[in-house]
Amino acid sequence: MIATIVITVLIAAAVAAIIINGYRKRKNGQSGCGCGCSGCAMSEECHKK
């Protein structure tokens, strides 16, 4: 029972860290895909403010 709770908390923390990291990158205007925006068809959608 305690192991299940610990594993659930660890997974929730990892998911929260990924979401927070993505939010910070987007807020700073960085791309989320890592391939650059010069040839991307979705660059206007990515960097809407």
Side-chain angles (χ1 to χ4, degrees), residues 1 4 8-10 13 16 31-32 37 39 46:
M1 178 95 158
T4 303
T8 303
V9 168
L10 290 175
S31 174
C37 294
C46 238

Side-chain angles (χ1 to χ4, degrees), residues 1-43:
M1 178 95 158
I2 292 178
T4 303
I5 295 171
V6 170
I7 291 172
T8 303
V9 168
L10 290 175
I11 291 172
V15 170
I18 291 169
I19 291 171
I20 290 169
N21 188 27
Y23 174 76
R24 287 182 181 164
K25 280 185 176 182
R26 187 172 179 141
K27 189 174 179 183
N28 290 332
Q30 297 175 346
S31 174
C33 63
C35 64
C37 294
S38 61
C40 181
M42 295 297 290
S43 65

